[in-house]
Amino acid sequence: MTSPAPVVLAFLDPAFPDGRVADATKPQLLVTDLGVTRGDGVFETMLAVGGTVRKMQAHLDRLGGSAAALDLAIPGQEAWRRVIAAAVARHRSENPPADPAADELVVKLVVTRGVEGEAPTAWVQASPAGAAGRRQRETGIDVILLDRGYDSDVAERAPWLLLGAKTLSYAVNMAALRHAHKQGADDVIFLSSDGRVLEGPTSTVLLAHVEKSDDGTTVKRLITPQLDSGILAGTSQGALFAAAKAAGWELGYGPLEPRDLMDADAVWLISSVRLLAPVNRIDGKEIGTPSVQKELTAELSELFAGIH
């Protein structure tokens, strides 16, 4: 039997500035915690490479924004920073990476509303990154398009749906992934009921076009769906857009439709842990130009690797 992956678990507690370390193999939450009974809470997932957490500020800012959308009081950013640093250092000390090329940790920040009438529960979890994410970023993925069941204007019309917040209520997202796997696919791109491209269950959609300008120079354009369509603001997409702009890429924001994906020279799903995963097929149809996709993936991956 395979041994479970080592996990460092540290709760944010005013009495323990670097976190109250707990045994991740033992129960830690009360069954009455509202994060358990209602999915009432928020989270962020980050990647630490060589002990350095990538895009920490962007993740902390988004955690705060998600918490504000839920009227949830959470610890301040400096408290999170201390516990994150301690958890990562402890994991690396207790589990020295055998392969420097695979020295990646998943760092998860979680806050639940806690037991009703009491303080929220907050913790940091550090664990090894799985091999599946690295494999998908190297070999690419097949995806299917799925209807998310609401139109692209619903976020503005019904803010209580919390579509722009990263909440613990991920049952639908996980059900979509299980459905994709049953269809022989790796992942999903959600569509709104009015036909707009939204996002993946755990990722942001990117596409690229490469064109020749009138003077013969090559123009590379990177495009992502509009945020006002009710999708989560991707920290990885935002960071990569900034790096691509500095490297001379043009940037664009939807609205996008399925035909835009099919007509693109390359499509990716991007997320903090898996990073940039090229999309090989959508609904069984090959997309993009393989040679161009490979070249662009290498260029964008190099830009993304330089982001901290």
Side-chain angles (χ1 to χ4, degrees):
M1 185 171 63
T2 304
S3 301
V7 176
V8 169
L9 182 65
F11 285 85
L12 277 76
D13 185 326
F16 298 84
D18 291 333
R20 175 173 56 81
V21 177
D23 186 346
T25 67
K26 299 291 193 303
Q28 299 295 335
L29 290 182
L30 293 173
V31 296
T32 51
D33 190 297
L34 295 176
V36 175
T37 60
R38 297 179 181 172
D40 194 353
V42 296
F43 76 102
E44 283 290 326
T45 306
M46 309 181 294
L47 184 69
V49 179
T52 300
V53 178
R54 294 165 54 93
K55 303 185 282 88
M56 187 188 300
Q57 186 61 55
H59 283 285
L60 290 174
D61 288 344
R62 191 170 66 178
L63 184 74
S66 295
L70 272 69
D71 295 320
L72 178 63
I74 67 172
Q77 291 190 358
E78 285 309 308
W80 283 108
R81 288 181 179 275
R82 287 194 301 271
V83 179
I84 291 167
V88 170
R90 185 181 182 108
H91 196 289
R92 288 170 55 78
S93 174
E94 295 178 352
N95 310 279
D99 180 5
D103 185 7
E104 297 180 348
L105 291 178
V106 177
V107 182
K108 194 167 186 176
L109 319 181
V110 185
V111 189
T112 77
R113 202 170 297 276
V115 176
E116 189 139 19
E118 298 184 13
T121 307
W123 69 89
V124 172
Q125 174 182 314
S127 58
R134 288 192 294 272
R135 183 174 61 252
Q136 290 186 355
R137 76 178 76 139
E138 292 169 359
T139 64
I141 55 177
D142 292 347
V143 308
I144 59 175
L145 302 178
L146 291 182
D147 186 347
R148 200 165 189 176
Y150 54 74
D151 62 59
S152 57
D153 295 326
V154 71
E156 181 177 356
R157 193 171 66 248
W160 52 86
L161 293 178
L162 303 174
L163 296 180
K166 196 172 179 70
T167 75
L168 293 176
S169 302
Y170 255 48
V172 170
N173 294 33
M174 298 301 99
L177 285 176
R178 288 193 298 272
H179 179 77
H181 296 162
K182 291 174 183 176
Q183 310 306 311
D186 302 298
D187 215 315
V188 167
I189 293 177
F190 284 126
L191 303 178
S192 65
S193 58
D194 52 343
R196 297 287 176 83
V197 174
L198 297 174
E199 60 191 342
T202 62
S203 58
T204 304
V205 178
L206 299 178
L207 63 85
H209 287 287
V210 179
E211 303 165 353
K212 290 288 186 181
S213 64
D214 293 338
D215 62 5
T217 58
T218 299
V219 177
K220 292 174 287 189
R221 183 174 296 108
L222 195 59
I223 307 170
T224 196
Q226 290 175 305
L227 278 178
D228 61 8
S229 58
I231 64 175
L232 183 71
T235 61
S236 297
Q237 171 267 314
L240 183 58
F241 262 43
K245 183 178 182 180
W249 286 64
E250 292 186 359
L251 307 179
Y253 298 84
L256 299 173
E257 298 179 356
R259 67 170 178 267
D260 295 309
L261 300 175
M262 302 301 183
D263 292 342
D265 289 309
V267 177
W268 302 270
L269 293 184
I270 186 171
S271 57
S272 293
V273 173
R274 186 171 54 185
L275 307 182
L276 195 66
V279 175
N280 297 327
R281 298 174 186 82
I282 296 178
D283 287 343
K285 299 176 183 177
E286 291 190 8
I287 61 165
T289 307
S291 59
V292 174
Q293 184 197 61
K294 184 176 181 180
E295 179 183 339
L296 297 182
T297 298
E299 180 177 349
L300 291 175
S301 294
E302 185 175 351
L303 290 174
F304 199 38
I307 295 168
H308 298 289

